[in-house]
Amino acid sequence: MKPLTDAQQKILDFIKGFIEDNSYSPTSKEIKEHFKFNSINAAYEHLGWIEKKGYIKRTPKIARSIVVLQA
């Protein structure tokens, strides 16, 4: 498994904490707002790389479908 960048690790930590607190995953919009990204595409890009590196799994076109694969 490839290591995450600092930004990707912060996003993964946010996702884990959000799931722990709410029992469901955050939306891309919630990630965008939390990290104050200028566009939703920034959140999508980070999530795509985190998924490619094997840390999460998403179901396309389904909200709140992020599943953390690594503890």
Side-chain angles (χ1 to χ4, degrees):
M1 194 175 303
K2 293 183 180 181
L4 298 173
T5 66
D6 288 341
Q8 292 165 354
Q9 185 63 56
K10 287 177 184 175
I11 293 168
L12 181 59
D13 291 341
F14 170 74
I15 292 168
K16 289 177 181 179
F18 191 98
I19 292 170
E20 186 175 307
D21 293 343
N22 299 288
S23 299
Y24 55 84
S25 65
T27 62
S28 298
K29 183 179 177 184
E30 289 166 333
I31 293 169
K32 172 199 172 281
E33 291 172 354
H34 178 80
F35 289 97
K36 298 182 174 121
F37 294 141
N38 291 327
S39 73
I40 195 86
N41 287 337
Y44 291 143
E45 283 284 318
H46 283 289
L47 290 171
W49 284 110
I50 295 168
E51 185 172 23
K52 284 181 183 181
K53 291 180 178 183
Y55 291 86
I56 62 170
K57 176 89 173 118
R58 298 179 293 166
T59 303
K61 300 183 182 182
I62 302 292
R64 302 192 186 280
S65 67
I66 300 170
V67 175
V68 177
L69 301 176
Q70 281 293 326

